[in-house]
Every structure is written in structure tokens, then in C-alpha cells.
Amino acid sequence: MAELPSALALGQSLRNHTCSARELTESFLAEIDRREPELHAFLTVSREEALAAADDADRRLAAGEPLSPLDGVPFAVKDNLCTKNVRTTCASRALEHFVPPYDATAVSRLRAAGCVMLGKTNLDEFAMGCDTGSSAFGPTRHPLDPARVPGGSSGGSAAAVASWEAPLALGSDTGGSVRQPAALCGVVGLRPTYGRISRSGLTGFAPSFDQVGLLARTPADCAALLALTAGFDPLDATSARRPAESFADQLEAGVRGLRIALLQEGLDEAGPAVRRSTERAAACLESLGARVEPLSLPFLREMLPAYHILTAAEASSNLARFDGVRYGLRAPGAGWRESIRESRSAGFGMEVKRRILLGTFVLEKEQRDACFSRAQRLRRRTAADLREALGRFDLVLLPTAPETAWRWEEERDPLALYRSDLFTVPAAIAGLPAVSVPFGEENGLPIGVQFMGRAWEEALLLRAARTLLQEV
Amino acid sequence: MGENRNRPAASYETVIGLETHIALKTETKAFCSCAVTFGAEPNTHCCPVCLGMPGALPVLNEKAVEYAAKAGLLLHCRVSLVSHMDRKQYFYPDLPKGYQISQDDEPLCTDGWLEIPAAGGGKKRVRIERIHLEEDAGKLIHTAEGTLIDCNRCGVPLIEIVTKPDFRSAEEVVAYLQELREIIRFAGLSDCRMNEGSLRCDVNLSLRPRGSEELGERAELKNLNSFQFAAKAIAFEEERQAAVLASGGTLFPETRGFCEETGETYAMRRKESQDDYRFLPEPDLPPVVLTQDQIDRWRSELPEPPAERRARYESEYGLSHETAALLTVSRAAADRFEEAAARTPWARQLANLLAADPERLEAGIPVAAQSLAELAALLGEGSVGAAAARRILDEMWAHGGDPREIAARLGLLKLSDRASLLPFAEQAVAANGRAAADFRAGKTAALQALLGDVMRRSHGRADPAAARALLLELLGG
């Protein structure tokens, strides 16, 4: 991997006219053609649109007027982010033929920066899952071993970046959907602070948790991608009014003097290889001048059920719009009630139905206090605890996923799958930023470690990630 | 609705609470920038947000919050500094997102009241439990080929005003609705047109034995498209429930529709123990946070209520109650009238002139206050007659302009100088020899006929006093 150029380096060679954006785009499209039959990272490849965008970039580059450091550089988009005139399915039968008339804000900002969209990547249906296995259009395979899972739900985006089908990708992270596949595939995955990147055009699953996430090969690429996508958007009332930042100024500043917490529960709950990598990362940071101290957050385990109750509740509401009345799959029925029922029965897969049923249940009057309201209180309390801990530390170090990519043949029940979110849910519960960075491996499979930080401190996260990656 | 105490209903007391929906007259919808319209071509004012497209997010229209809060202030409510939006969830083809953005446990306004005339004279205070902000749904259009959906109304901001069960009769309900409509309309917050659906009211009605404090099982009456129909539905429902109770039957909570043709209510659906809308705090919208300064400013922008204005017009300008009522049909009309009245000693004349054509007043008066004042002076000083003044007003209403110039151009100014009047007077005397002779013979009443002829010949422009003086001179010799 180390020999592969970064997206920023590609941008530089375009500005140096070492190659053209068309050539670059064609080479990625060729790689997609070569790898896709096995990988299935993409649901839609927008070849013609990509080449047209590349030609536009070449005209700007020839005139010496690039729009950004990534002008002409290709990227891939998770298929739950709307793309104007390009099919957006959310990996669901319900939206199999849905073509949005608008771009998600994150997508339109990258287009405005001259980036070239290659196509739409696979995911768990409506981003509900952690192995990309619940896609209605078939799973994505791990780039290093097709018998294994790539993680999820942004498994297509992670696999595309890991296999160099695309140098950059957009994903979405509700409870770890960017960081966990990044860890399993061996790329950098950033979940920014809630409100940092507009959610407009992201087909939400749990809006109070959803955040557009970024996948790249290097922290510097992540910083560049974040600088282009972040910022207030009048179309999203939860996007934050924060001034523009570079995120890259401090990347090389190292970790000397930083107070880093090593999460005890992170070590306890991880598999042996993941535990060893995390401890090695801690030692490495300490040797570079960081003050690493153990931290215990006993409430960590309580977050998981709270997370699943709250996200299911929001999902049951957010997915109510897919009734087949105005767009999407419509099944016939005698009368509207039956048509809506049949459309939803035919449109949604098992995992989606499971969460809708769970979410519907926990919001009903009889259970509401015991389930939903209690989970809300738990969220508020644990988020406050986490923020309190981050008052004493600059960063928290913990594994990203308890284990490396598992085999498809290992049948897993939903509860076992939910458990793989254990380390990624805390940042999501509290709306805090977190980054997964490849560090170590087990039998050739990548391991990711994770930094969790204070709100709006993505620059610090990327700086720690950059420092650690240099030591690999 | 007669007060016949022999009906079964006479042994029961009627208890009514109202839920009134009012569409706010903001320029744009509650959560997107689509225009709020009525009667437009179907589905021409909708966007990804109000159509519930994937990934489209609501952004709260601050004007809608302002209007809802102002309605609360008019109804003496407490306006919350912090409230939040919730999703009320149910499936229906006219509800694009599968939920309505509304407010559940923390509404914008609470604990208000509105006074209505009491049955035995005096005032009765109806308590307002809450006012919350929400969005409207679309409209279903049933045709022979199938049902069509018009989404123009999706996302139009509504307030729902919920009263305590304080009404005891249809008359009180109608009085409340009239009062409510007037003050909301007067403040420019809504058109409150029942026939266009910008004011809709659901009646919750139950009966209880007279003297009882407990509430009976209630029926919710829907589809009441005018005040008259609301009154009829209440009258019918009182009798229906009383008949059930009197015959030993039991009532159960239900939703009932109203048939305008028969004047009867009919069962629509039985309410399950309580409908469960699985409310969810709206995660796409941050809480609605107001400052006390904001609320104070909105309070200061509220118009003086129309009832108080009417009383003031009667005492200050000597207007009749009817004329005062016509001028307070809308804030725009009343404000313009007051502006003009402040510039002329002839305010009463101006009021009567404006009130002569009351239909057009509601939308406001498109004539500058100064021009109105000058017109009032022309009329008051006798330079033009009442009919001429109305023509001048019509002209200014349609095309603007200076009243004196219009009067001159249209030849409406009165003729009072001897040179202009003399030909008319001479012709009148010559043509009415009999009347002239009668007058000279001492029948003073005969002068009236001659004067009338002068007015006819001058097309009404002759100043009567000057013409009279001239006739006397001609006849007296």
C-alpha cells in the first residue's frame, strides 16, 4: 500500500501535467473493470459522467485554474448519498430505480472543487449492518480475501479505496459505518463531529447519529477531503456554523505533550491481536512524547443497547416515507393501505424490517418509558461522561473493531453483529469525531486503531493518525 | 338549536372543547422555501423537502414561529422560550414523509384565554390549553379514474389551538370561532377562510347529567366547513348522544363526520383506547429557542384588537357601530383609515364614504392617506357632493391621482358662482312658468320644484344654497 500515491499527490501530478484528468479517470475506471467482478464494491459506475467531468477538469488545469488541490481527482460515493441524475439505491429494492434530481451537499461540494465522481458504492441496505451483507444487490468482498467481509455499512467505499478502485470515497457513519470497514480494509476512516458536514442529501437512517464520513489512504487526504466538504449548509438545520479550516496545518506536529487515554474496556473486549496492536500503538505514542494513561469508562457497555433502541426508533420513522406513493417501488394492492403495506414488504430486506419493527415497538405507549425514554436518558448521561473524560485528555485511544475481517461462511446472529459496533458507538452517541487508522495486522488482515476526540478537533485526530501511520 | 327543554338533551349538560387548525399566511412553507398558495395548479409548489424525498431535510421557517407566537400572544398565552418539534407518525397517502412535523409535549404556547359574549350578558372566558406549530398535509382529489394527490399544501404552516372543555352550547362555539377568526385575521396571521381550509375546526362533544363534574365519553366531530354547519352538527350530536343515554345505551369514543345535506353526524371510526402516534423528537431540527426580547418585540408589533378599535372609532370620530365594524374588517383598512383621519377634521365623512363600498375594504385601501384626507375635505367643505365623492374615490382606488384634479377633470366640482348658475336658473324659471307663478303667489313650497330643475339641468353640480339664492333673486325681481 505504501507505494501507492495519495489523492493529494494525484492532484499535484495533474497540476504538473504529468498526466491528464481523463487519463487518471480512465485508469481508475479500468481498475474498476478489472476488480469489480470479484469485489462488487460499486452498485453504479457513472463512466460517461466521470469522463465528462474529467475533461472539464483538464480544461481548467490546462488554463492553470484548478478549483482545488483535488481538482480532477476521482472519488466514489456511498449509494445512500443522493447524486443528481445518477441512480441512488441505498442498496434497497425500494429505491432500485430511484434517480434523484439533486446532489447531496457533500457531493455537490466535491464536484464544485473539481473532483470527478466515478460511481456509487455498495452498502448494507439503508446503512443498517456491519458487513455490507444486507445489500439487496449482493455483498461486497474483502479486497484481500473474497471469502471475507469488508465490514460495513460503508463496505463498498472502504473496499474501493483499499483496492485502489478510487483514491477517495464518501461514506456515512451512524454507529461506526465508516470507521469499522476502514479498519477491516486497512484505510483511514474519519467520522467528523456531528454537524461538521451537511447531511442534506444523505438518506438518513438515524438523523441524530448520522454523519457523512470520509475514507482515504492517508490522514492528509482525509484532511483535504474534510476541508472541501465541511461547513454550514442552509439546507441542514443541524449543520454547524463554524468557520472554514484547513485541518492540515498541524498534521506534522507530532504528539509530544498530548494527553492520551488508553481505554481499558477497549483492551478487555478486543480479540488478542487487536489488543496487541492497540497496546503497541499506545507504546509507540508514548515513545514519541505523548503522555498515555489508562482510562476506564464502565458505562461503555450500556451504550450499545441505548444506541440500538434509539437508532431503530429513528429508522422506523425515517423510513416511513418509502411507501411507494410518490417514488420508489410500488406494489399493487386493493386500496392505498394495502398498496403501502405490500410496497414496504417487497421493498425492504430482513435487517431493515427487523429494525423498523424494533423501532416501532420501542416508541409505542406501553414500552416507551421503559425503552425509548430510558435509552434517551442513558444517551445523555453517557455522552456527558464521555465529554467529561475528554476534558481530562486530548484524545482517547481504543480499537476500532474487536477483530479483523471475518469469513462470510461464519454465520453470525444479529446480536453478535451488533456487538462489533462496541468501540465505534461511543463517539456516535456523543456526536464526537473519531478516526480509524490502520495499525498492524493479523494473518495479513489489517487492524485499525481509533482516536476519539473533542468536538471540532478533527485536526488533532488527523495529526495523531498521521504520526502513528509514519511509525508503521 | 332552540332551547326546548322537553328534548332528551335538556336533562344533560353539553361539554365541548375545540381543536382549531389555522393555516398561517407566511410567504413560504414551514420547512422549505416553496410558496404558500391557494388554488394553484396541483403540484406546482413542492420540492424534495415537502415531497419527503430521500435525504431532503426540513429547515424551520422563522416567520412561521413568529406568527404562531403572535397568535399565542393575542390569545394571552405563555410563549415558551424553548420548545421543540416532534414527529407524529401515521401512514396516509397525503402525508409524504409518513409523519407530520408537529409539537407534542413542549408546545410553543400554553395557558391562554379568549373572551366571548356570555349567554346572560357580560363576558365568558374560554381557556386555551395550548397552541402548537405543525405542517399541513396534501390534498386527495378523488376522480373516476382514481385518487390523485396535490402536494401544494404539504408543509404549509399551521397552528392548532386547543381549548379546555369550556363550551356549553353551539352559540358559545360560534361566538368563539367568530372572535378567534377576527383577531387572527386582523393581525394578518391568516385569512381564516373555512371554505378554503385555512380555518378548520374539530369539535369534541360529550354530555353529562346536569350537576355532574365528570366528563362523558366524547365524540370528535370532523368535516365542519362553516360556522353554521358546526352549530348544526353540535345540535344533532347533542340529541343523538342524549337519546343513547336516555335509552340506557352507552357511548364510546369515536370520530364522526358531518353530512351537510342531511345535517346529521355519522360514525367514521371508533377511537382505540387512545390513538398512538409514536411521537419522536424531530432529530432533523434543533430546539426552537426564543429570547424574551424577541417575544417582547413581537408583542409590541401586535395591532390594537379590532373590538377596542371599534369602540374608539365610535367615541373619537362619532361613527356608528356598523361603520366602525366595516372599517375594522382588516388591519390594513383600519390602519389606512386612521392615518387619513389624523389629517382631516372630516373623519366621520371619510368613514361613511369608505363604508359605502365595504366589500373591497378587506384587502386594504390602495389610496394614500393624504389623498383620502383631501377628498374628505372636498366633501366636508361642500366642494363636491356625496355621489361625486364616491366617484372620485373609485377613480383613486383604480388609478390613483389627486382628488381635486380628478374632480375638476370629471367635472364634479359644485357650481356656486353666479355666472355658471345663471343660465340654469333662468332656464328653470322659463320652463316652469306655473311653479314660478305659484311661488310669486306666496306658495313658497313651489321653489323646491324650481331648485330640482336647476339640479337636473346642472347634472347635480349646482351648489344648492347658491342656486336657491339665485332663484329667489330672479323670482323676487
Side-chain angles (χ1 to χ4, degrees):
Chain A
M1 283 180 207
E3 73 276 12
L4 286 168
S6 71
L8 282 167
L10 294 178
Q12 187 58 55
S13 54
L14 290 174
R15 290 193 299 283
N16 294 343
H17 309 294
T18 313
C19 70
S20 71
R22 177 172 261 271
E23 287 164 350
L24 189 61
T25 300
E26 281 173 341
S27 78
F28 279 107
L29 289 171
E31 192 62 13
I32 289 172
D33 288 341
R34 193 174 72 80
R35 295 297 308 268
E36 272 306 283
E38 180 181 278
L39 264 187
H40 194 231
F42 281 84
L43 293 177
T44 303
V45 177
S46 45
R47 193 174 301 270
E48 300 309 317
E49 293 90 336
L51 290 173
D55 289 342
D56 288 343
D58 278 330
R59 277 189 284 278
R60 291 188 298 270
L61 291 159
E65 292 167 350
L67 294 168
S68 75
L70 295 176
D71 197 346
V73 175
F75 69 106
V77 178
K78 188 178 182 179
D79 208 23
N80 61 350
L81 283 154
C82 287
T83 44
K84 189 174 181 176
N85 300 332
V86 175
R87 189 176 78 126
T88 299
T89 68
C90 296
S92 178
R93 294 275 171 218
L95 292 177
E96 188 169 1
H97 305 291
F98 176 67
V99 178
Y102 47 88
D103 268 335
T105 297
V107 173
S108 66
R109 287 185 177 178
L110 288 182
R111 288 196 210 263
C115 301
V116 174
M117 191 187 78
L118 295 170
K120 307 299 293 291
T121 58
N122 201 6
L123 64 149
D124 284 294
E125 186 178 4
F126 285 107
M128 296 176 190
C130 55
D131 57 13
T132 318
S134 72
S135 167
F137 309 115
T140 295
R141 310 271 170 184
H142 194 285
L144 297 174
D145 180 355
R148 292 180 186 270
V149 304
S153 66
S154 309
S157 282
V161 173
S163 64
W164 209 236
E165 287 181 315
L168 300 166
L170 295 178
S172 69
D173 189 313
T174 303
S177 278
V178 155
R179 291 163 286 157
Q180 185 258 20
L184 266 51
C185 289
V187 299
V188 179
L190 175 70
R191 175 196 166 93
T193 313
Y194 186 81
R196 178 69 94 174
I197 300 179
S198 167
R199 291 184 298 111
S200 179
L202 169 66
T203 305
F205 123 51
S208 77
F209 294 83
D210 295 335
Q211 181 56 205
V212 173
L214 311 172
L215 296 117
R217 300 299 286 252
T218 70
D221 283 355
C222 246
L225 203 50
L226 184 60
L228 295 180
T229 49
F232 175 71
D233 177 9
L235 298 178
D236 175 4
T238 64
S239 76
R241 291 178 186 271
R242 310 264 322 168
E245 287 181 45
S246 101
F247 302 104
D249 290 348
Q250 304 290 315
L251 270 186
E252 308 296 332
V255 293
R256 183 163 301 282
L258 289 184
R259 295 163 305 167
I260 299 177
L262 176 61
L263 190 66
Q264 190 56 46
E265 287 78 7
L267 300 178
D268 296 345
E269 302 280 340
V274 171
R275 180 186 176 119
R276 276 195 302 280
S277 271
T278 311
E279 286 170 333
R280 211 156 47 74
C284 181
L285 292 163
E286 200 152 32
S287 74
L288 293 168
R291 281 194 354 241
V292 180
E293 291 170 34
L295 169 71
S296 174
L297 297 175
F299 54 79
L300 199 70
R301 282 178 204 84
E302 295 174 45
M303 284 184 166
L304 213 50
Y307 165 81
H308 277 284
I309 285 171
L310 295 175
T311 53
E314 291 187 19
S316 73
S317 168
N318 245 42
L319 270 57
R321 68 188 59 194
F322 303 114
D323 54 12
V325 172
R326 295 163 312 286
Y327 55 83
L329 179 74
R330 182 194 291 192
W336 64 267
R337 211 175 280 277
E338 191 181 313
S339 171
I340 288 179
R341 190 169 54 231
E342 292 304 314
S343 299
R344 291 170 65 77
S345 297
F348 295 142
M350 265 316 295
E351 182 59 27
V352 172
K353 285 176 184 165
R354 185 180 291 125
R355 299 204 195 196
I356 290 175
L357 287 175
L358 173 64
T360 305
F361 177 78
V362 300
L363 285 172
E364 278 171 0
K365 279 210 175 85
E366 291 76 26
Q367 294 77 234
R368 191 185 171 86
D369 283 344
C371 296
F372 181 75
S373 304
R374 191 166 153 219
Q376 277 185 307
R377 286 194 298 276
L378 214 58
R379 180 186 192 182
R380 277 195 290 273
R381 211 190 63 220
T382 55
D385 287 349
L386 193 54
R387 282 194 292 269
E388 189 272 329
L390 277 161
R392 289 177 281 129
F393 294 97
D394 296 308
L395 296 168
V396 176
L397 172 69
L398 70 166
T400 308
E403 56 186 337
T404 54
W406 60 91
R407 288 177 182 279
W408 282 112
E409 66 197 22
E410 299 171 34
E411 285 286 331
R412 302 203 165 196
D413 68 63
L415 285 180
L417 288 174
Y418 291 176
R419 212 184 133 268
S420 78
D421 294 335
L422 184 64
F423 303 137
T424 46
V425 157
I429 281 254
L432 297 174
V435 65
S436 176
V437 50
F439 193 79
E441 54 175 52
E442 178 186 29
N443 303 327
L445 293 169
I447 290 171
V449 296
Q450 185 184 194
F451 292 107
M452 203 160 44
R454 289 188 284 262
W456 317 115
E457 294 196 351
E458 292 89 349
L460 185 63
L461 293 178
L462 292 169
R463 174 177 143 195
R466 161 81 183 142
T467 310
L468 199 57
L469 258 185
Q470 273 178 320
E471 300 300 313
V472 173
Chain B
M1 289 186 305
E3 287 301 304
N4 180 356
R5 291 292 160 197
N6 297 324
R7 300 174 311 169
S11 44
Y12 298 99
E13 181 181 44
T14 304
V15 179
I16 298 171
L18 290 190
E19 291 166 19
T20 311
H21 286 90
I22 292 177
L24 299 177
K25 212 164 99 181
T26 50
E27 280 177 26
T28 57
K29 293 186 180 181
F31 303 110
C32 62
S33 53
C34 290
V36 171
T37 56
F38 178 81
E41 192 70 20
N43 297 313
T44 53
H45 294 281
C46 30
C47 72
V49 174
C50 50
L51 290 176
M53 305 276 277
L57 301 174
V59 177
L60 183 57
N61 179 350
E62 288 170 22
K63 260 302 187 233
V65 177
E66 178 186 327
Y67 281 23
K70 281 181 167 172
L73 294 171
L74 285 168
L75 299 178
H76 314 94
C77 288
R78 198 169 54 76
V79 177
S80 304
L81 292 176
V82 180
S83 62
H84 72 83
M85 308 304 294
D86 295 284
R87 295 178 176 182
K88 179 179 177 176
Q89 313 199 68
Y90 61 95
F91 286 105
Y92 207 74
D94 69 5
L95 190 69
K97 296 186 292 297
Y99 55 83
Q100 177 194 33
I101 303 180
S102 180
Q103 295 189 298
D104 178 29
D105 53 344
E106 289 179 25
L108 186 63
C109 312
T110 50
D111 300 324
W113 50 265
L114 182 64
E115 277 181 346
I116 57 171
K123 298 277 186 191
K124 169 173 178 166
R125 200 169 265 203
V126 175
R127 291 169 299 158
I128 310 283
E129 185 174 302
R130 55 183 284 161
I131 302 176
H132 65 256
L133 181 61
E134 61 185 28
E135 61 178 332
D136 211 342
K139 212 184 258 175
L140 297 183
I141 303 160
H142 302 285
T143 72
E145 291 83 47
T147 301
L148 305 171
I149 308 174
D150 176 6
C151 288
N152 282 350
R153 212 176 62 181
C154 293
V156 166
L158 298 178
I159 46 174
E160 180 176 338
I161 305 172
V162 182
T163 74
K164 296 280 190 190
D166 285 354
F167 301 97
R168 296 292 173 268
S169 70
E171 289 83 351
E172 288 182 353
V173 168
V174 171
Y176 166 87
L177 289 173
Q178 281 170 339
E179 185 69 24
L180 181 67
R181 178 174 66 176
E182 178 171 52
I183 61 169
I184 296 290
R185 244 158 69 159
F186 195 76
L189 305 178
S190 170
D191 292 331
C192 292
R193 294 204 176 105
M194 272 189 127
N195 59 342
E196 293 183 1
S198 58
L199 188 155
R200 282 169 262 166
C201 123
D202 299 338
V203 170
N204 287 299
L205 187 150
S206 63
L207 298 186
R208 64 184 171 197
R210 293 198 175 272
S212 166
E213 286 299 308
E214 275 172 44
L215 291 170
E217 293 292 0
R218 70 190 162 95
E220 183 177 355
L221 310 181
K222 287 185 174 291
N223 305 347
L224 309 174
N225 292 322
S226 76
F227 294 175
Q228 281 322 302
F229 289 140
K232 277 187 182 166
I234 289 169
F236 178 85
E237 189 63 15
E238 284 174 328
E239 293 299 328
R240 186 192 70 85
Q241 292 191 13
V244 171
L245 294 174
S247 67
T250 49
L251 293 163
F252 50 86
E254 60 177 334
T255 302
R256 298 182 68 85
F258 175 71
C259 175
E260 295 174 6
E261 283 72 36
T262 63
E264 296 182 357
T265 69
Y266 58 92
M268 287 172 82
R269 67 189 176 91
R270 199 172 171 142
K271 289 194 175 225
E272 300 308 323
S273 59
Q274 245 188 340
D275 294 318
D276 190 348
Y277 290 109
R278 293 178 289 108
F279 279 99
L280 177 79
E282 171 54 273
D284 286 328
L285 292 169
V288 182
V289 180
L290 303 175
T291 64
Q292 193 56 49
D293 282 354
Q294 225 167 355
I295 295 172
D296 292 344
R297 181 158 45 80
W298 290 341
R299 194 191 304 274
S300 74
E301 288 167 4
L302 290 174
E304 179 188 13
E308 288 168 35
R309 281 202 197 202
R310 280 195 290 276
R312 193 160 53 78
Y313 290 1
E314 288 170 41
S315 62
E316 245 175 70
Y317 305 125
L319 303 192
S320 71
H321 186 75
E322 290 68 32
T323 304
L326 291 174
L327 288 175
T328 50
V329 64
S330 71
R331 182 183 188 176
D335 281 354
R336 181 55 51 88
F337 163 70
E338 286 188 37
E339 263 180 274
R343 297 161 192 244
T344 174
W346 310 100
R348 192 168 55 83
Q349 285 78 353
L350 176 61
N352 291 333
L353 183 59
L354 289 168
D357 192 352
E359 257 95 80
R360 63 184 176 183
L361 286 176
E362 190 181 338
I365 302 167
V367 180
Q370 187 57 35
S371 302
L372 290 174
E374 284 168 17
L375 175 60
L378 287 178
L379 180 64
E381 288 158 4
S383 304
V384 298
R390 280 203 289 278
R391 275 195 65 191
I392 297 168
L393 182 62
D394 290 346
E395 179 66 17
M396 292 198 294
W397 205 287
H399 307 295
D402 172 68
R404 201 168 291 275
E405 188 271 323
I406 292 170
R409 174 158 49 84
L410 299 182
L412 297 171
L413 286 171
K414 282 189 182 168
L415 302 176
S416 53
D417 61 297
R418 185 183 169 82
S420 307
L421 286 177
L422 192 58
F424 297 126
E426 285 174 345
Q427 287 164 19
V429 172
N432 297 279
R434 178 73 183 268
D438 286 351
F439 179 81
R440 289 190 180 107
K443 289 187 180 172
T444 47
L447 188 65
Q448 234 17 64
L450 294 165
L451 192 54
D453 199 40
V454 171
M455 297 309 287
R456 254 192 314 281
R457 287 170 190 276
S458 67
H459 302 286
R461 293 170 62 198
D463 177 65
R468 186 185 173 86
L470 190 57
L471 281 172
L472 286 173
E473 181 194 322
L474 291 178
L475 295 168

